[in-house]
Amino acid sequence: MTRFPLDANLSPRKSAYLRDAFGFDAINLMSLCLSHLKDTEVIELARRDGRVVITEDLDVGKLYYRYEHGRIGIIVHRPRVQSAAAVNRVLEYPDRAFGRGH
């Protein structure tokens, strides 16, 4: 099963949605009082726990590409509309959101 830590810049509602809608093991760093973690610490947590980071932070993406490429997974999520409903639609139907589906 895919395991996700959601960076502190994402709402706890998004991790709940991933758990409820898809059964993913999704945790939110804000809910765990870990929003203070530095980007490098978020990446280390993901590597240690075998998780794929979901973030809106481009700096995490840059760190991943420079130092962690191939060791962990990362999804940099940058929707145009950032309401919870819009983000959940992207998570549920990524092909449609990125113009590859219906």
Side-chain angles (χ1 to χ4, degrees):
M1 172 189 297
T2 305
R3 302 172 69 202
F4 298 103
L6 277 73
D7 203 354
N9 56 19
L10 293 165
S11 164
R13 291 175 31 192
K14 292 176 184 137
S15 58
Y17 178 76
L18 290 172
R19 284 191 305 274
D20 296 344
F22 305 105
F24 289 136
D25 179 0
I27 61 171
N28 183 279
L29 299 181
M30 187 183 311
S31 297
L32 298 174
C33 298
L34 296 175
S35 59
H36 66 280
L37 292 180
K38 296 177 185 173
D39 293 344
T40 53
E41 294 170 317
V42 172
I43 290 171
E44 174 57 33
L45 176 113
R47 186 178 337 111
R48 184 185 67 233
D49 292 350
R51 292 182 177 268
V52 175
V53 177
I54 301 177
T55 185
E56 291 180 351
D57 186 347
L58 294 178
D59 290 336
V60 173
K62 290 174 187 174
L63 286 169
Y64 161 78
Y65 186 77
R66 178 174 258 171
Y67 301 111
E68 300 295 332
H69 195 76
R71 290 188 229 173
I72 66 165
I74 186 165
I75 298 169
V76 178
H77 179 65
R78 302 283 293 185
R80 281 183 234 146
V81 179
Q82 295 191 4
S83 70
V87 170
N88 289 347
R89 278 193 302 276
V90 170
L91 293 171
E92 188 168 1
Y93 301 107
D95 288 344
R96 290 182 192 172
F98 296 108
R100 295 187 298 252
H102 298 70

